[in-house]
Amino acid sequence: MMESKKKVFSLYDIVMIGLMAAVVFVVTMFLSIRIPTPTGTTMIKLANAFVLLCGLLLGPVRGGLAAGIGSMIFDLMTPEYAPEAWITFLRFFLMAWLCGVIAYAGAAAAKKFARNLVACLAGAVFSSLLYMLKGLTAAVPLSALEAVGGMLFPLPGALALNTAGVALAQAGPYWMGRLRQTDLTALTARFPRLSLYLRPGPRPGRTVFLL
């Protein structure tokens, strides 16, 4: 009899990924302070520590998936962040992945304090750099982020992730505009000429993605 192939993820792996993803989501949702800024809302949160913990406990790939999925779910449930949910997944996946790679290098198995400390610092610094680059659209265009997805995942997964990312990036702002159409009344009252271009009413959502 042929020996059955070993599964990529065991039931234990799936349960742990789901559990740590839930922890990251809950900590992000309830243990954070939101600070409005001229360029958008930023957050002071403890979730980054749990993202690094994912890498230490589960290793590079499983920890990366847990951190990325938990962070992405939070973004999807927050209209302001929903269009960038897939970017959030990549950022925190890479943060936990780098931490896990360093912590588990050689025979360390995340059991050496000094190595774990270096792993956490490297992951935190790398995530900060990604966050700064994300704000510079000229430096990191959408096509570059799609290329990163192609390097990290096999073809079917990369295509699915990039398609979902583009759809969210386009449809997210569209639905936010649809939900806030009542604000156009005050805006057009202040600037009458805008009424020629800003006309509340139904718009076919599919055209947003196609454009």
Side-chain angles (χ1 to χ4, degrees):
M1 294 179 61
M2 295 181 62
E3 185 178 353
S4 60
K5 294 183 179 179
K6 184 178 180 180
K7 295 181 179 179
V8 177
F9 292 111
S10 65
L11 179 60
Y12 172 81
D13 293 334
I14 296 173
V15 170
M16 290 304 298
I17 290 171
L19 176 62
M20 291 306 296
V23 170
V24 170
F25 167 75
V26 170
V27 173
T28 305
M29 177 68 75
F30 298 106
L31 298 180
S32 61
I33 301 175
R34 301 188 184 188
I35 303 175
T37 68
T39 58
T41 304
T42 188
M43 298 175 65
I44 298 177
K45 56 184 181 179
L46 296 175
N48 287 356
F50 286 85
V51 167
L52 295 171
L53 185 62
C54 287
L56 293 178
L57 293 178
L58 304 181
V61 177
R62 295 179 300 169
L65 288 173
I69 292 171
S71 302
M72 181 178 66
I73 292 175
F74 169 79
D75 276 17
L76 290 174
M77 296 185 64
T78 309
E80 182 179 358
Y81 302 131
E84 297 181 350
W86 74 295
I87 301 176
T88 297
F89 172 83
L90 289 176
R91 176 190 168 198
F92 289 106
F93 174 91
L94 291 172
M95 181 181 181
W97 176 84
L98 180 59
C99 178
V101 165
I102 297 174
Y104 282 80
K111 295 181 180 179
K112 296 182 179 180
F113 176 79
R115 184 184 289 271
N116 291 348
L117 181 60
V118 171
C120 290
L121 289 175
V125 170
F126 183 68
S127 177
S128 298
L129 291 175
L130 289 179
Y131 181 77
M132 289 187 291
L133 289 175
K134 185 187 75 171
L136 303 175
T137 54
V140 185
L142 183 62
S143 57
L145 295 173
E146 292 171 347
V148 171
M151 291 186 291
L152 290 175
F153 303 98
L155 180 60
L159 289 176
L161 180 63
N162 287 337
T163 301
V166 172
L168 286 172
Q170 301 301 322
Y174 167 79
W175 284 108
M176 290 174 65
R178 283 290 300 272
L179 294 174
R180 297 182 62 85
Q181 283 192 35
T182 54
D183 294 345
L184 293 179
T185 303
L187 188 62
T188 53
R190 185 175 180 182
F191 303 100
R193 291 186 179 182
L194 290 178
S195 60
L196 298 175
Y197 309 100
L198 304 178
R199 297 177 181 177
R203 301 289 186 273
R206 61 182 178 274
T207 60
V208 177
F209 177 74
L210 293 175
L211 291 175

